[in-house]
Amino acid sequence: RESEDAGECARTLSALFGDDGKSLLMLFRETRRHGMIDLSTRLLSRYPLLSSEMMIPANLLFPVAYAGFVGENVERYQVPPDLVLGVIREESSFNSRAVSRAGAMGLMQLMPSTCKWIAGKLKVAEVSAVLFDPAFNIEAGTWYLRFLLDRNGGSFVGALASYNAGSSRMSAWRNTFVPSEDPMAAIEMIGIEETREYVRRVLESMAVYRSFYLDGGRYACD
């Protein structure tokens, strides 16, 4: 319901302000400042002019939302917080009700079949009832990232490529190239262009999160 309200609000603002960049920037800042992550990201997606880094400080473009769930699960599964935040940002823009054209769901855009498999590992019975629940979605996604990191020798490139394209589709790539040995070369060796670009985007987001939010080993919400 919250996501639907954010979408309706974004459409109303579109009708009211059109190409008024200054007003849109003010709205983005205010919605972001008050923790309305979903609405602020809808505004960004509807108004490309807001994406210019000259208009919006980069720390506003890389929010930390659901910090409690993220912090709890990165500690539990020993996954870097910048990896989880980078995946959420690129997968759903922190929209907990997001659904992709392929059917991936929630903050970390997990396919229902993958979610069902992970739910079995986590001893969650009624997975259909919690697919969009931020607490479950973040835990399932973080658990899956840990699984993929272990399967790819700790390589972020290998884990992210498998997260995007599917572990089975990347098995041949892993058999011919060890991604942990040379990450930059590993990216270029990914045969699927969409996955190659996805890995680059998440790695870039991770770098920004590390530079903006890492403070004494902890991430803080702005």
Side-chain angles (χ1 to χ4, degrees), residues 71-98:
E72 175 184 345
N73 286 292
V74 298
E75 183 174 348
R76 177 180 299 159
Y77 298 112
Q78 293 299 292
V79 175
D82 49 280
L83 174 59
V84 175
L85 290 168
V87 167
I88 295 175
R89 182 182 187 273
E90 296 306 322
E91 289 283 359
S92 68
S93 296
F94 294 91
N95 175 6
S96 64
R97 304 295 299 180

mmCIF file of all heavy atoms in Angstrom, residues 71-98:
data_model
loop_
_atom_site.group_PDB
_atom_site.id
_atom_site.type_symbol
_atom_site.label_atom_id
_atom_site.label_comp_id
_atom_site.label_asym_id
_atom_site.label_seq_id
_atom_site.Cartn_x
_atom_site.Cartn_y
_atom_site.Cartn_z
ATOM 1 N N GLY A 71 21.866 -4.213 8.868
ATOM 2 C CA GLY A 71 22.913 -4.401 9.863
ATOM 3 C C GLY A 71 22.836 -5.751 10.547
ATOM 4 O O GLY A 71 23.858 -6.426 10.765
ATOM 5 N N GLU A 72 21.620 -6.171 10.871
ATOM 6 C CA GLU A 72 21.431 -7.454 11.545
ATOM 7 C C GLU A 72 21.898 -8.612 10.678
ATOM 8 O O GLU A 72 22.570 -9.543 11.154
ATOM 9 C CB GLU A 72 19.948 -7.618 11.888
ATOM 10 C CG GLU A 72 19.586 -8.953 12.497
ATOM 11 C CD GLU A 72 18.086 -9.087 12.727
ATOM 12 O OE1 GLU A 72 17.375 -8.051 12.683
ATOM 13 O OE2 GLU A 72 17.630 -10.226 12.930
ATOM 14 N N ASN A 73 21.583 -8.555 9.388
ATOM 15 C CA ASN A 73 21.877 -9.697 8.521
ATOM 16 C C ASN A 73 23.299 -9.709 7.989
ATOM 17 O O ASN A 73 23.859 -10.788 7.766
ATOM 18 C CB ASN A 73 20.860 -9.735 7.378
ATOM 19 C CG ASN A 73 19.507 -10.219 7.848
ATOM 20 O OD1 ASN A 73 19.342 -11.371 8.217
ATOM 21 N ND2 ASN A 73 18.528 -9.311 7.871
ATOM 22 N N VAL A 74 23.905 -8.550 7.788
ATOM 23 C CA VAL A 74 25.307 -8.575 7.350
ATOM 24 C C VAL A 74 26.193 -9.110 8.472
ATOM 25 O O VAL A 74 27.214 -9.770 8.213
ATOM 26 C CB VAL A 74 25.795 -7.184 6.890
ATOM 27 C CG1 VAL A 74 24.999 -6.709 5.687
ATOM 28 C CG2 VAL A 74 25.761 -6.152 8.008
ATOM 29 N N GLU A 75 25.798 -8.863 9.713
ATOM 30 C CA GLU A 75 26.552 -9.414 10.837
ATOM 31 C C GLU A 75 26.311 -10.923 10.946
ATOM 32 O O GLU A 75 27.247 -11.700 11.157
ATOM 33 C CB GLU A 75 26.132 -8.729 12.135
ATOM 34 C CG GLU A 75 26.926 -9.191 13.345
ATOM 35 C CD GLU A 75 26.591 -8.398 14.594
ATOM 36 O OE1 GLU A 75 25.917 -7.355 14.486
ATOM 37 O OE2 GLU A 75 27.003 -8.846 15.682
ATOM 38 N N ARG A 76 25.074 -11.325 10.765
ATOM 39 C CA ARG A 76 24.724 -12.750 10.891
ATOM 40 C C ARG A 76 25.402 -13.588 9.819
ATOM 41 O O ARG A 76 25.911 -14.686 10.092
ATOM 42 C CB ARG A 76 23.216 -12.917 10.799
ATOM 43 C CG ARG A 76 22.736 -14.369 10.840
ATOM 44 C CD ARG A 76 21.223 -14.422 10.747
ATOM 45 N NE ARG A 76 20.595 -13.728 11.863
ATOM 46 C CZ ARG A 76 19.341 -13.258 11.855
ATOM 47 N NH1 ARG A 76 18.594 -13.407 10.772
ATOM 48 N NH2 ARG A 76 18.848 -12.648 12.904
ATOM 49 N N TYR A 77 25.426 -13.092 8.581
ATOM 50 C CA TYR A 77 25.942 -13.891 7.475
ATOM 51 C C TYR A 77 27.317 -13.438 6.982
ATOM 52 O O TYR A 77 27.820 -13.977 5.997
ATOM 53 C CB TYR A 77 24.937 -13.883 6.329
ATOM 54 C CG TYR A 77 23.614 -14.497 6.730
ATOM 55 C CD1 TYR A 77 22.456 -13.724 6.830
ATOM 56 C CD2 TYR A 77 23.524 -15.849 7.047
ATOM 57 C CE1 TYR A 77 21.249 -14.275 7.228
ATOM 58 C CE2 TYR A 77 22.324 -16.415 7.443
ATOM 59 C CZ TYR A 77 21.192 -15.627 7.529
ATOM 60 O OH TYR A 77 19.997 -16.187 7.928
ATOM 61 N N GLN A 78 27.901 -12.464 7.686
ATOM 62 C CA GLN A 78 29.256 -12.003 7.362
ATOM 63 C C GLN A 78 29.380 -11.578 5.897
ATOM 64 O O GLN A 78 30.227 -12.069 5.144
ATOM 65 C CB GLN A 78 30.275 -13.087 7.714
ATOM 66 C CG GLN A 78 30.396 -13.371 9.209
ATOM 67 C CD GLN A 78 30.845 -12.148 9.994
ATOM 68 O OE1 GLN A 78 31.985 -11.692 9.861
ATOM 69 N NE2 GLN A 78 29.939 -11.581 10.805
ATOM 70 N N VAL A 79 28.495 -10.654 5.520
ATOM 71 C CA VAL A 79 28.506 -10.069 4.183
ATOM 72 C C VAL A 79 28.743 -8.570 4.333
ATOM 73 O O VAL A 79 28.133 -7.936 5.198
ATOM 74 C CB VAL A 79 27.163 -10.328 3.460
ATOM 75 C CG1 VAL A 79 27.124 -9.610 2.114
ATOM 76 C CG2 VAL A 79 26.942 -11.822 3.271
ATOM 77 N N PRO A 80 29.615 -7.962 3.534
ATOM 78 C CA PRO A 80 29.865 -6.524 3.662
ATOM 79 C C PRO A 80 28.581 -5.713 3.466
ATOM 80 O O PRO A 80 27.829 -5.979 2.521
ATOM 81 C CB PRO A 80 30.868 -6.226 2.546
ATOM 82 C CG PRO A 80 31.524 -7.536 2.275
ATOM 83 C CD PRO A 80 30.465 -8.575 2.493
ATOM 84 N N PRO A 81 28.317 -4.724 4.322
ATOM 85 C CA PRO A 81 27.091 -3.929 4.173
ATOM 86 C C PRO A 81 27.024 -3.167 2.863
ATOM 87 O O PRO A 81 25.936 -2.988 2.304
ATOM 88 C CB PRO A 81 27.132 -2.973 5.376
ATOM 89 C CG PRO A 81 28.547 -2.977 5.832
ATOM 90 C CD PRO A 81 29.097 -4.324 5.504
ATOM 91 N N ASP A 82 28.182 -2.737 2.341
ATOM 92 C CA ASP A 82 28.142 -2.011 1.069
ATOM 93 C C ASP A 82 27.697 -2.912 -0.080
ATOM 94 O O ASP A 82 27.096 -2.437 -1.039
ATOM 95 C CB ASP A 82 29.506 -1.375 0.755
ATOM 96 C CG ASP A 82 30.662 -2.345 0.919
ATOM 97 O OD1 ASP A 82 31.084 -2.570 2.059
ATOM 98 O OD2 ASP A 82 31.129 -2.891 -0.099
ATOM 99 N N LEU A 83 27.935 -4.215 0.038
ATOM 100 C CA LEU A 83 27.468 -5.148 -0.993
ATOM 101 C C LEU A 83 25.949 -5.256 -0.959
ATOM 102 O O LEU A 83 25.287 -5.166 -2.010
ATOM 103 C CB LEU A 83 28.103 -6.527 -0.782
ATOM 104 C CG LEU A 83 27.612 -7.656 -1.693
ATOM 105 C CD1 LEU A 83 27.851 -7.319 -3.168
ATOM 106 C CD2 LEU A 83 28.295 -8.976 -1.328
ATOM 107 N N VAL A 84 25.374 -5.411 0.224
ATOM 108 C CA VAL A 84 23.921 -5.528 0.335
ATOM 109 C C VAL A 84 23.250 -4.230 -0.094
ATOM 110 O O VAL A 84 22.273 -4.241 -0.861
ATOM 111 C CB VAL A 84 23.520 -5.899 1.780
ATOM 112 C CG1 VAL A 84 22.003 -5.911 1.923
ATOM 113 C CG2 VAL A 84 24.091 -7.261 2.150
ATOM 114 N N LEU A 85 23.751 -3.091 0.371
ATOM 115 C CA LEU A 85 23.160 -1.808 0.003
ATOM 116 C C LEU A 85 23.286 -1.555 -1.498
ATOM 117 O O LEU A 85 22.360 -1.043 -2.135
ATOM 118 C CB LEU A 85 23.824 -0.682 0.790
ATOM 119 C CG LEU A 85 23.512 -0.647 2.286
ATOM 120 C CD1 LEU A 85 24.459 0.319 3.006
ATOM 121 C CD2 LEU A 85 22.067 -0.244 2.541
ATOM 122 N N GLY A 86 24.434 -1.907 -2.066
ATOM 123 C CA GLY A 86 24.626 -1.725 -3.506
ATOM 124 C C GLY A 86 23.657 -2.564 -4.319
ATOM 125 O O GLY A 86 23.104 -2.100 -5.321
ATOM 126 N N VAL A 87 23.426 -3.801 -3.883
ATOM 127 C CA VAL A 87 22.485 -4.669 -4.578
ATOM 128 C C VAL A 87 21.067 -4.120 -4.470
ATOM 129 O O VAL A 87 20.331 -4.052 -5.471
ATOM 130 C CB VAL A 87 22.556 -6.108 -4.010
ATOM 131 C CG1 VAL A 87 21.372 -6.944 -4.498
ATOM 132 C CG2 VAL A 87 23.865 -6.774 -4.425
ATOM 133 N N ILE A 88 20.666 -3.707 -3.269
ATOM 134 C CA ILE A 88 19.305 -3.168 -3.105
ATOM 135 C C ILE A 88 19.117 -1.932 -3.970
ATOM 136 O O ILE A 88 18.086 -1.773 -4.642
ATOM 137 C CB ILE A 88 19.016 -2.830 -1.628
ATOM 138 C CG1 ILE A 88 19.011 -4.101 -0.775
ATOM 139 C CG2 ILE A 88 17.667 -2.121 -1.498
ATOM 140 C CD1 ILE A 88 18.845 -3.836 0.708
ATOM 141 N N ARG A 89 20.098 -1.035 -3.974
ATOM 142 C CA ARG A 89 19.968 0.196 -4.762
ATOM 143 C C ARG A 89 19.803 -0.111 -6.245
ATOM 144 O O ARG A 89 18.937 0.457 -6.920
ATOM 145 C CB ARG A 89 21.191 1.088 -4.563
ATOM 146 C CG ARG A 89 21.092 2.408 -5.324
ATOM 147 C CD ARG A 89 22.336 3.254 -5.143
ATOM 148 N NE ARG A 89 22.150 4.572 -5.732
ATOM 149 C CZ ARG A 89 22.404 4.861 -7.012
ATOM 150 N NH1 ARG A 89 22.848 3.915 -7.837
ATOM 151 N NH2 ARG A 89 22.205 6.080 -7.475
ATOM 152 N N GLU A 90 20.626 -1.010 -6.766
ATOM 153 C CA GLU A 90 20.574 -1.298 -8.193
ATOM 154 C C GLU A 90 19.392 -2.193 -8.562
ATOM 155 O O GLU A 90 18.869 -2.106 -9.666
ATOM 156 C CB GLU A 90 21.881 -1.960 -8.641
ATOM 157 C CG GLU A 90 23.104 -1.076 -8.492
ATOM 158 C CD GLU A 90 22.948 0.268 -9.176
ATOM 159 O OE1 GLU A 90 22.354 0.314 -10.275
ATOM 160 O OE2 GLU A 90 23.397 1.275 -8.612
ATOM 161 N N GLU A 91 18.957 -3.045 -7.645
ATOM 162 C CA GLU A 91 17.869 -3.971 -7.948
ATOM 163 C C GLU A 91 16.499 -3.304 -7.861
ATOM 164 O O GLU A 91 15.642 -3.507 -8.715
ATOM 165 C CB GLU A 91 17.913 -5.176 -6.985
ATOM 166 C CG GLU A 91 19.070 -6.131 -7.225
ATOM 167 C CD GLU A 91 18.845 -7.031 -8.430
ATOM 168 O OE1 GLU A 91 17.789 -6.925 -9.073
ATOM 169 O OE2 GLU A 91 19.749 -7.840 -8.729
ATOM 170 N N SER A 92 16.262 -2.525 -6.795
ATOM 171 C CA SER A 92 14.900 -2.032 -6.551
ATOM 172 C C SER A 92 14.819 -0.555 -6.206
ATOM 173 O O SER A 92 13.716 -0.038 -6.023
ATOM 174 C CB SER A 92 14.264 -2.828 -5.402
ATOM 175 O OG SER A 92 14.929 -2.537 -4.179
ATOM 176 N N SER A 93 15.952 0.130 -6.091
ATOM 177 C CA SER A 93 15.957 1.530 -5.636
ATOM 178 C C SER A 93 15.219 1.679 -4.306
ATOM 179 O O SER A 93 14.539 2.663 -4.069
ATOM 180 C CB SER A 93 15.348 2.459 -6.694
ATOM 181 O OG SER A 93 16.126 2.456 -7.858
ATOM 182 N N PHE A 94 15.342 0.658 -3.445
ATOM 183 C CA PHE A 94 14.745 0.650 -2.109
ATOM 184 C C PHE A 94 13.214 0.653 -2.145
ATOM 185 O O PHE A 94 12.571 1.066 -1.193
ATOM 186 C CB PHE A 94 15.271 1.815 -1.263
ATOM 187 C CG PHE A 94 16.737 1.700 -0.951
ATOM 188 C CD1 PHE A 94 17.694 2.261 -1.784
ATOM 189 C CD2 PHE A 94 17.153 1.004 0.172
ATOM 190 C CE1 PHE A 94 19.053 2.127 -1.507
ATOM 191 C CE2 PHE A 94 18.505 0.867 0.463
ATOM 192 C CZ PHE A 94 19.462 1.430 -0.373
ATOM 193 N N ASN A 95 12.636 0.176 -3.248
ATOM 194 C CA ASN A 95 11.192 0.019 -3.347
ATOM 195 C C ASN A 95 10.848 -1.411 -2.926
ATOM 196 O O ASN A 95 11.086 -2.373 -3.660
ATOM 197 C CB ASN A 95 10.729 0.269 -4.783
ATOM 198 C CG ASN A 95 9.241 0.010 -4.978
ATOM 199 O OD1 ASN A 95 8.507 -0.259 -4.028
ATOM 200 N ND2 ASN A 95 8.792 0.069 -6.215
ATOM 201 N N SER A 96 10.256 -1.555 -1.735
ATOM 202 C CA SER A 96 10.009 -2.883 -1.182
ATOM 203 C C SER A 96 8.943 -3.656 -1.953
ATOM 204 O O SER A 96 8.829 -4.871 -1.804
ATOM 205 C CB SER A 96 9.591 -2.777 0.291
ATOM 206 O OG SER A 96 8.354 -2.091 0.414
ATOM 207 N N ARG A 97 8.153 -2.976 -2.788
ATOM 208 C CA ARG A 97 7.097 -3.646 -3.562
ATOM 209 C C ARG A 97 7.477 -3.833 -5.031
ATOM 210 O O ARG A 97 6.632 -4.168 -5.856
ATOM 211 C CB ARG A 97 5.793 -2.836 -3.478
ATOM 212 C CG ARG A 97 5.298 -2.562 -2.078
ATOM 213 C CD ARG A 97 4.902 -3.828 -1.350
ATOM 214 N NE ARG A 97 3.823 -4.549 -2.006
ATOM 215 C CZ ARG A 97 3.301 -5.688 -1.550
ATOM 216 N NH1 ARG A 97 3.773 -6.242 -0.451
ATOM 217 N NH2 ARG A 97 2.313 -6.283 -2.189
ATOM 218 N N ALA A 98 8.733 -3.642 -5.353
ATOM 219 C CA ALA A 98 9.176 -3.732 -6.749
ATOM 220 C C ALA A 98 8.998 -5.147 -7.302
ATOM 221 O O ALA A 98 9.231 -6.136 -6.608
ATOM 222 C CB ALA A 98 10.642 -3.324 -6.856
#
